[in-house]
Amino acid sequence: MSYSILLAEDQTIVRNGLKMMIEQDPEFQVVAEAENGEQAIKQMEQRLIDIVIMDIRMPIINGIEATRKIKERWKHVHVLILTTFNDDEYAVQALREGADGFLLKSADADKLIKAIHSCLNGGIAIHEEVAAKVMPRLLKKSTHEPKNFALSPRELAITQLVGEGKTNKEISDQLYISIGTVKNHITQILHKLALRDRTQLAIFAVKNDLA
């Protein structure tokens, strides 16, 4: 299976280097490129994209706003943010807008490829150096603190595994259910908890000691 990737990065040299790194994996093909968020959205309108590799600091429309717009219109499309060490404020905002993960630009090819696979499989890819700074802020500012979760035992188990960063496949293997069943349960869980996406569910799980 081949996955189509949109690479949104305003620096040509960086974009070319990322493309070379990404296409080391035969399953990945960079089918579109953009120099800013506006171009990224236009590319989304013209092609079928599986995942967007998104820079944050770009002209016209930045990566945070572009992520929000893409997630609103193409909910099935994954977005992996590439950030720098000092961009933790932007990373927090990006996660709240629905990003499926973020890495430092210093990540090597192996870590980048693993992060893309994780996002495509329903996981959340967070660079450990950034997570140490970002996760406490996300948890502190979360507004979802229900006392009664109203979740079934199976839903609680899935929520716990999502909080542990497991992919849909890993959850299906561990609970002996199909990937489709996992997806259906997650959709129902999000509805019950009034959460928007998997990232918010993972934060919910950690905040409420379910992970």
Side-chain angles (χ1 to χ4, degrees), residues 13-206:
I13 293 177
V14 176
R15 195 167 63 247
N16 290 341
L18 289 172
K19 181 177 180 179
M20 292 177 61
M21 292 169 65
I22 291 168
E23 291 187 340
Q24 290 181 26
D25 190 313
E27 293 187 29
F28 298 154
Q29 182 179 6
V30 176
V31 299
E33 300 180 28
E35 296 181 354
N36 55 64
E38 183 179 65
Q39 288 184 8
I41 293 169
K42 289 181 179 178
Q43 293 283 8
M44 289 293 302
E45 293 172 342
Q46 298 171 11
R47 294 173 173 81
L48 294 176
I49 300 295
D50 296 303
I51 184 168
V52 182
I53 310 301
M54 182 83 75
D55 187 19
I56 287 182
R57 293 179 176 175
M58 296 185 294
I60 306 178
I61 295 179
N62 65 35
I64 296 171
E65 182 67 11
T67 296
R68 182 183 67 79
K69 291 179 179 294
I70 288 172
K71 283 293 187 174
E72 285 178 349
R73 296 178 60 182
W74 299 279
K75 297 183 184 300
H76 66 285
V77 174
H78 303 278
V79 177
L80 173 62
I81 295 289
L82 286 179
T83 184
T84 62
F85 184 77
N86 292 324
D87 280 342
D88 53 294
E89 175 63 33
Y90 295 111
V92 169
Q93 295 178 38
L95 278 176
R96 289 184 176 143
E97 295 297 350
D100 299 280
F102 56 89
L103 289 180
L104 299 180
K105 286 185 177 179
S106 59
D108 59 24
D110 183 60
K111 182 170 290 186
L112 175 58
I113 289 172
K114 286 181 178 178
I116 296 172
H117 275 293
S118 178
C119 290
L120 288 168
N121 288 323
I124 301 173
I126 302 178
H127 197 292
E128 59 272 13
E129 292 182 41
V130 179
K133 299 174 66 178
V134 171
M135 289 306 293
R137 295 178 58 188
L138 288 170
L139 297 175
K140 181 179 179 180
K141 294 185 178 181
S142 174
T143 59
H144 301 283
E145 299 184 12
K147 299 301 180 182
N148 298 310
F149 302 138
L151 299 179
S152 69
R154 173 53 57 82
E155 289 170 340
L156 281 171
I158 291 175
T159 299
Q160 177 181 353
L161 293 171
V162 169
E164 293 173 1
K166 303 292 187 183
T167 66
N168 287 343
K169 184 178 187 306
E170 290 170 334
I171 295 173
S172 70
D173 290 343
Q174 187 162 336
L175 298 182
Y176 302 101
I177 56 179
S178 70
I179 293 177
T181 300
V182 173
K183 292 179 178 178
N184 290 338
H185 276 303
I186 290 176
T187 298
Q188 184 64 23
I189 293 167
L190 293 175
H191 177 73
K192 284 186 176 182
L193 299 179
L195 299 174
R196 183 178 58 193
D197 52 38
R198 191 188 189 95
T199 303
Q200 288 191 351
L201 180 58
I203 294 169
F204 169 90
V206 175

